[in-house]
Amino acid sequence: MNLPNLITFSRLLGVPFLLYGLYNPTVQSRWICVAIFVVAAATDWLDGYLARKLNQITDLGKFLDPLVDKLLVLAPLLVLIELGKVPAWGVFLILGRELTIAGWRVNKTTISGANIWGKLKTVSQIVAIALLIAPLSDAWNIPALIAFWVSVALTLISGAIYLWPSKVADEK
């Protein structure tokens, strides 16, 4: 396992701490959760950068990176449902897209990296989750929810764009 793949795998280590902290409603624990989440999310950029820079792009990395991204995003979203911060059906749309794309990738002989829409989706999810878990004033509730719904929309758009060329190719 190369360095970028180790960094990808290490991102998982923050998830249990993040989940534990989300159930502790103190301001301090919430800011710690934001820090854990943002640092873990930043490693997504770091592992990709190192994989390209060190010429260590692997099929394992192409598979592992989006899987870890999904766990990092879906774990706090599920807690946010339980805490009443986001509606379950919005998270269900995200989960449905992620499972659809993961299932689609299983049938592919080669695994492609993320396109710009996938990257926008990931960034929008990170911003939305960070806003939702941060202990901000009530004035931030609406902007955080808007960020969440923007991430849901970009999640669905990126999924459609990912599947569309494959559908067109299958019809030929």
Side-chain angles (χ1 to χ4, degrees):
M1 187 174 289
N2 63 28
L3 179 61
N5 290 345
L6 284 171
I7 292 170
T8 299
F9 186 73
S10 73
R11 192 175 325 142
L12 280 177
L13 299 177
V15 173
F17 296 104
L18 175 63
L19 296 178
Y20 177 78
L22 286 173
Y23 286 109
N24 186 355
T26 67
V27 170
Q28 181 182 7
S29 72
R30 285 300 178 94
W31 281 120
I32 291 170
C33 287
V34 171
I36 290 170
F37 181 74
V38 170
V39 168
T43 66
D44 184 30
W45 173 83
L46 179 63
D47 62 28
Y49 172 78
L50 289 174
R52 289 184 298 277
K53 179 94 170 155
L54 302 173
N55 198 24
Q56 294 183 348
I57 297 172
T58 65
D59 282 343
L60 174 63
K62 288 180 187 177
F63 170 77
L64 192 60
D65 184 65
L67 176 63
V68 172
D69 289 346
K70 287 165 187 40
L71 293 172
L72 182 64
V73 165
L74 289 169
L77 283 175
L78 293 173
V79 174
L80 290 168
I81 292 171
E82 189 174 355
L83 297 176
K85 296 274 195 174
V86 294
W89 70 273
V91 176
F92 176 79
L93 292 173
I94 292 173
L95 177 62
R97 182 269 191 203
E98 301 301 351
L99 291 175
T100 300
I101 298 303
W104 189 265
R105 285 181 172 163
V106 167
N107 293 320
K108 297 293 180 187
T109 55
T110 60
I111 301 170
S112 63
N115 64 23
I116 188 67
W117 288 98
K119 292 176 191 288
L120 286 172
K121 168 206 63 115
T122 300
V123 169
S124 71
Q125 290 172 343
I126 291 166
V127 168
I129 292 167
L131 287 172
L132 288 162
I133 64 178
L136 301 171
S137 70
D138 288 343
W140 283 92
N141 288 347
I142 299 290
L145 277 175
I146 290 170
F148 171 73
W149 288 112
V150 166
S151 77
V152 170
L154 286 171
T155 298
L156 296 175
I157 290 166
S158 70
I161 289 170
Y162 186 87
L163 293 175
W164 183 261
S166 299
K167 184 177 180 339
V168 172
D170 291 345
E171 291 174 355
K172 289 185 178 180

